[in-house]
Amino acid sequence: MTRKFLSVTAFILSVLLILPVLSSCTRLSSTKEESETVLTVGEYEVPYELYRYLALNFRRDYPDAAEEELREKVLSALLDMYAVIAAAKDYGIAPEDDYFEEAADNAVQLAMDEAGGKSEYKKELEESYMNDSVFRFLTKQNAVNDELYYAMVNSGDIDDSAENVQKLALGDGFVCVKQVLITSEESVFSGEFYYKPAQTHTREEAAAIAHKVREKALAGEDFDTLVRDFGESLYMMQNTDGYYVCRGMWEDVNENAVFSLPENGISEVVESKAGFSVFKRFEKNAAYIEKNIDTLCENYGRALFTLYIEEKRDTLTVKTGEKYDSVSIIQMEY
């Protein structure tokens, strides 16, 4: 998401909860079509305006994707969004609460100020394929996500204390690994920070490079040298101590691979959304754990939260309606 408005949105979401309540926000009403229900996720009705926002963004980012692939991406994103809301309900938190309505008002007013007025605000929304209602929903969903996390910490359901995390890090709760990641044209990127720029391979080329790296590692070549010479993860190259990984931090396929390795073990070539990886497991460093305990605590807490949301996601049932069947993402107008 590199569009200017989405960057502004990210800024807004990071500060909206500390802004004073504004009472003069102007609401921009949705049309009848925009409000029409396309499908339900669990007990929640998904309006066309939100479905369209996701659909057009995915179509822009994946121009060669077929209709069914785009629909799967949209449904997956909706499940992620509503899983947070469903999980929050277990803690008595709901997006329609006054607190979140006020937060959305603050975000809209700030967005209008940043854009230069109501008409400019509306224009920037349209450039990102959303409207006022979608922006409000995304704002509230983001705030609910944060409120749920802190509720789980305060209730003790997430124990991210230094004492607990240090014990887990020194035990079986974490593994220390290094990674040679080879991206391909099909990789799903998490931001420019994580990958070497201008390193483009086809899927077949990336796989071949990864197998070559694994052969070199098995032959005893220095793994740090392989990271430097072949790796395309900037984070890995800038952190010579490697990753300290707990369950919930990575994709399952990567976590299963690294947790199954003995110390000094070399993984098979592992394909994930990010590309092709070869991992090596290393002995953990107690001094490193003590020095970086705050980061490990944060990573552990977020990982537990992710696992909880994934569990809730699996309980949600998607039911599509006539509107869903009649709308083609590929033919949808920008």
Side-chain angles (χ1 to χ4, degrees), residues 298-318:
E298 180 180 355
N299 290 344
Y300 176 72
R302 291 296 175 184
L304 275 190
F305 182 77
T306 297
L307 291 174
Y308 179 69
I309 298 302
E310 287 178 352
E311 290 178 3
K312 181 61 68 172
R313 187 186 194 273
D314 291 340
T315 69
L316 299 179
T317 301
V318 174

Side-chain angles (χ1 to χ4, degrees), residues 33 36-39 48 71 321-328:
E33 181 186 18
E36 189 175 352
T37 299
V38 178
L39 62 139
Y48 176 70
R71 286 191 172 195
E322 293 181 6
K323 181 72 172 179
Y324 178 85
D325 294 331
S326 65
V327 172
S328 166

Side-chain angles (χ1 to χ4, degrees), residues 174-178 241-244 280-284:
F174 284 74
V175 293
C176 176
V177 296
K178 296 184 181 182
D241 293 294
Y243 300 102
Y244 280 71
K280 182 174 181 178
R281 183 168 175 176
F282 288 80
E283 181 181 0
K284 286 178 282 189

Side-chain angles (χ1 to χ4, degrees), residues 32-93:
K32 182 178 180 180
E33 181 186 18
E34 289 173 332
S35 301
E36 189 175 352
T37 299
V38 178
L39 62 139
T40 59
V41 178
E43 63 184 77
Y44 305 101
E45 296 182 345
V46 178
Y48 176 70
E49 57 201 4
L50 178 59
Y51 182 82
R52 178 180 180 274
Y53 162 72
L54 293 170
L56 289 180
N57 274 281
F58 279 124
R59 196 176 96 189
R60 180 201 65 207
D61 293 341
Y62 301 92
D64 298 325
E67 178 77 25
E68 190 58 33
E69 182 182 354
L70 291 172
R71 286 191 172 195
E72 288 177 1
K73 290 181 182 298
V74 172
L75 291 179
S76 180
L78 288 169
L79 282 166
D80 288 340
M81 289 180 176
Y82 285 101
V84 170
I85 295 174
K89 186 178 181 180
D90 296 339
Y91 287 80
I93 302 168

